[in-house]
Amino acid sequence: MFGRFFSSLVLLISGAALGYFWAQSQELQVTFYLVVGSLVGAMLWWFLDAIRGLRVVYWLRYGNLAEVPNTFGLWGTVVDRTRRLLREREKAINASEQRLKDFLSAIQASPNGVVLLDENFQIEWCNQTAAFQLGIEPERDLAQRIGNLVRDPIFSAYMTTSDVAEPIVIEGRGKNPNMPLRISIQRHPHGEGKQLLITRDVTVVEQAEAMRRDFVANVSHEIRTPLTVLAGFVETLQTLKLTAQEQDKYLDLMANQSHRMQSLVDDLLTLSRLEGSPVPGFTSSLELTQLMEACQSEAQQLSKLLFQEKIAQVIVFETDPVIQNHLVLGEPRELQSALSNLVSNAVRYTPQGGRIEVHAFVSKDGNLNLQVKDTGPGVPPEHLPRLTERFYRVDRSRSRESGGTGLGLAIVKHVMQRHGGQLQIASTAGQGSCFNLVFPATRCKQAEAV
Ligand code: ADP
């Protein structure tokens, strides 16, 4: 302000002085030219000031922050202050834009779908997950009414109701017959009539729930059957006068049924132990020959029991000489249970006179194979993919007659997964089956090497 006052004063005095000296040199009236000179000085100051002011106004209107007009004094201060204010505003805008970007990219990364709707249910924004689940094209469908894009009647009804506490579940749009998609949608009204939709893929949850229901139904069914038979026999023994011979027969049948229940409960406990315990490490192990011998004697006993004869089936166990003194690294009880389940299946399903071969060898890729081959009825190809499901049986009565629980192969598959290996199944209906336990090379070591 002082500069402004000082500069105008300088020009005013300079103009007056020039007028004075010029009037004196020309011998004119001094007072008149003194006033004219000071007026000219004032106008010159005003003119120069107006030019500087106009440059600042032009810059404010059209200029950019990087090219500021080179000026000083009051206009210089105006320019500086304005530039600082604009810089601060620009920074604040950049920061809030960045925050918005971060926020949107976090919502993009969310496993849940998010759709923002305006008060007319028109799409304002949606993330990729919601777009995939609801079949929306995020850019093309912007400002479209969601009801025109998602035509499921359950969804339409949900969008009109005021009761939005419970989510709804509809078929997802990305569905194809091999990959069904179930989507849960919850509506959250917010602001003035705006809506937030949260979508979630609940396919796996629903499948798990269905599996849990099936499992409970299967277990109840499996237990109810022998229980009903047992109850019937108990009633018979209580009400009828039976001879000692008849009583023995009934007690034998009852023992059979309780045996069946026992096996089922044992297998269920094994499965739950497998699901609940940590993955087996490499510190515990089982001698391969010991494993083979134990399963061989089990197989022979079971074969005798089933066929009530001395030689019902030919059972051959063979371990390749190179791995005779090897150990299988893993949980001994689980390893024993895996091979013994396969061997017992082979014995149970192979008819009298059939042949069962169990062969332990290391394949070319270094993996340890425990292969169980039989000449039984085999499994038709359409059943093969489902054999390891819990309670899945090709021939229900055959399985039950021979004391099967329907859980054996599920246990084997689980054990193999826990040991980093796999169960391979090859079978031809009418010709026999080959079940192969394949362990990674790291699970098989020479006895001294451990
Ligand atoms: P189960 O207790 O019924 O034998 P598993 O889970 O061990 O249950 O086997 C599932 C089904 O696979 C069996 O019911 C049977 O139909 C079929 N299966 C298993 N092993 C053999 C085999 N060696 N030969 C023919 N079918 C088999």
Side-chain angles (χ1 to χ4, degrees):
M1 211 55 200
F2 175 74
R4 218 171 149 70
F5 174 71
F6 183 72
S7 63
S8 61
L9 205 63
V10 165
L11 276 180
L12 205 80
I13 292 171
S14 311
L18 272 175
Y20 173 80
F21 288 119
W22 192 71
Q24 262 199 348
S25 68
Q26 301 293 319
E27 293 180 1
L28 297 171
Q29 200 189 355
V30 171
T31 321
F32 176 72
Y33 282 97
L34 194 108
V35 172
V36 170
S38 60
L39 274 176
V40 169
M43 279 180 69
L44 184 65
W45 180 87
W46 180 82
F47 180 70
L48 290 175
D49 191 63
I51 289 181
R52 285 168 57 211
L54 279 174
R55 277 178 64 207
V56 171
V57 171
Y58 182 83
W59 171 72
L60 283 176
R61 215 174 255 173
Y62 309 109
N64 75 40
L65 265 180
E67 290 170 16
V68 277
N70 194 6
T71 186
F72 51 87
L74 182 72
W75 291 115
T77 312
V78 169
V79 167
D80 269 356
R81 283 276 157 88
T82 313
R83 189 175 53 173
R84 205 174 306 154
L85 274 176
L86 287 174
R87 280 250 156 88
E88 274 164 18
R89 179 100 66 84
E90 198 174 69
K91 254 192 221 160
I93 291 173
N94 284 347
S96 67
E97 265 177 10
Q98 189 55 46
R99 248 199 320 269
L100 183 67
K101 265 191 205 154
D102 291 347
F103 184 63
L104 290 180
S105 90
I107 304 180
Q108 277 295 10
S110 152
N112 292 334
V114 178
V115 185
L116 303 180
L117 300 175
D118 66 10
E119 48 289 342
N120 298 318
F121 293 98
Q122 287 172 328
I123 300 171
E124 286 186 326
W125 186 84
C126 76
N127 68 356
Q128 289 293 343
T129 312
F132 169 75
Q133 292 173 346
L134 300 175
I136 297 173
E137 196 67 60
E139 272 158 36
R140 189 199 61 196
D141 294 335
L142 229 58
Q144 287 275 343
R145 283 176 74 92
I146 187 115
N148 296 340
L149 302 168
V150 182
R151 295 203 159 270
D152 192 297
I154 301 175
F155 179 76
S156 308
Y158 183 62
M159 292 310 278
T160 51
T161 179
S162 55
D163 179 16
V164 293
E166 285 298 314
I168 51 158
V169 176
I170 63 167
E171 286 294 327
R173 273 294 192 84
K175 82 169 175 159
N176 71 44
N178 302 325
M179 204 187 88
L181 196 61
R182 300 280 295 161
I183 305 297
S184 129
I185 301 177
Q186 181 136 34
R187 183 154 75 92
H188 301 273
H190 70 101
E192 285 175 16
K194 298 206 171 201
Q195 309 284 332
L196 168 72
L197 293 188
I198 303 287
T199 67
R200 207 157 56 89
D201 184 345
V202 289
T203 319
V204 176
V205 179
E206 285 208 341
Q207 276 169 354
E209 179 56 22
M211 271 170 71
R212 190 194 61 78
R213 271 199 309 269
D214 284 357
F215 184 68
V216 171
N218 273 323
V219 171
S220 316
H221 178 76
E222 293 291 330
I223 289 180
R224 198 184 55 189
T225 315
L227 255 183
T228 315
V229 178
L230 265 178
F233 286 146
V234 170
E235 207 181 304
T236 312
L237 287 171
Q238 281 171 334
T239 50
L240 295 181
K241 279 211 174 336
L242 301 170
T243 63
Q245 218 178 1
E246 283 170 327
Q247 268 188 12
D248 282 351
K249 188 181 135 205
Y250 280 117
L251 286 172
D252 270 357
L253 290 169
M254 286 168 75
N256 244 342
Q257 295 303 324
S258 55
H259 227 98
R260 204 174 128 188
M261 281 203 291
Q262 179 83 52
S263 311
L264 179 69
V265 172
D266 284 348
D267 277 359
L268 285 171
L269 286 175
T270 305
L271 264 179
S272 92
R273 213 175 26 241
L274 289 176
E275 279 170 352
S277 53
V279 171
F282 291 81
T283 45
S284 48
S285 61
L286 178 65
E287 275 178 33
L288 183 59
T289 42
Q290 189 193 333
L291 171 65
M292 294 288 272
E293 277 164 18
C295 287
Q296 185 168 17
S297 94
E298 253 180 44
Q300 275 156 350
Q301 277 175 28
L302 182 65
S303 181
K304 266 188 217 162
L305 194 81
L306 285 175
F307 297 99
Q308 313 276 315
E309 281 181 34
K310 277 224 152 157
I311 309 165
Q313 294 160 324
V314 180
I315 301 176
V316 182
F317 273 68
E318 190 195 349
T319 305
D320 265 12
V322 258
I323 47 170
Q324 286 279 358
N325 62 346
H326 275 52
L327 299 174
V328 189
L329 308 186
E331 181 53 54
R333 210 153 77 150
E334 292 181 24
L335 298 169
Q336 172 87 47
S337 145
L339 187 59
S340 126
N341 262 306
L342 293 189
V343 172
S344 103
N345 277 356
V347 172
R348 284 168 40 232
Y349 293 107
T350 303
Q352 198 169 4
R355 184 179 172 88
I356 294 148
E357 283 176 24
V358 182
H359 188 193
F361 63 95
V362 173
S363 51
K364 279 194 195 115
D365 45 18
N367 292 336
L368 170 68
N369 290 246
L370 303 181
Q371 196 176 64
V372 182
K373 267 190 198 171
D374 65 54
T375 55
V379 180
E382 66 273 20
H383 294 285
L384 284 176
R386 299 195 59 191
L387 277 196
T388 53
E389 283 176 25
R390 292 166 189 197
F391 297 112
Y392 190 84
R393 291 142 158 149
V394 179
D395 182 344
R396 222 156 246 283
S397 55
R398 176 85 201 259
S399 158
R400 289 218 180 97
E401 266 166 34
S402 59
T405 60
L407 294 172
L409 292 182
I411 292 175
V412 177
K413 185 181 169 190
H414 226 93
V415 170
M416 293 313 288
Q417 279 173 347
R418 285 164 55 79
H419 285 82
Q422 52 173 310
L423 165 66
Q424 293 173 344
I425 308 174
S427 185
T428 312
Q431 287 184 23
S433 312
C434 175
F435 291 78
N436 195 5
L437 302 179
V438 185
F439 292 92
T442 46
R443 290 268 176 205
C444 179
K445 286 270 159 33
Q446 215 170 340
E448 311 84 72
V450 179

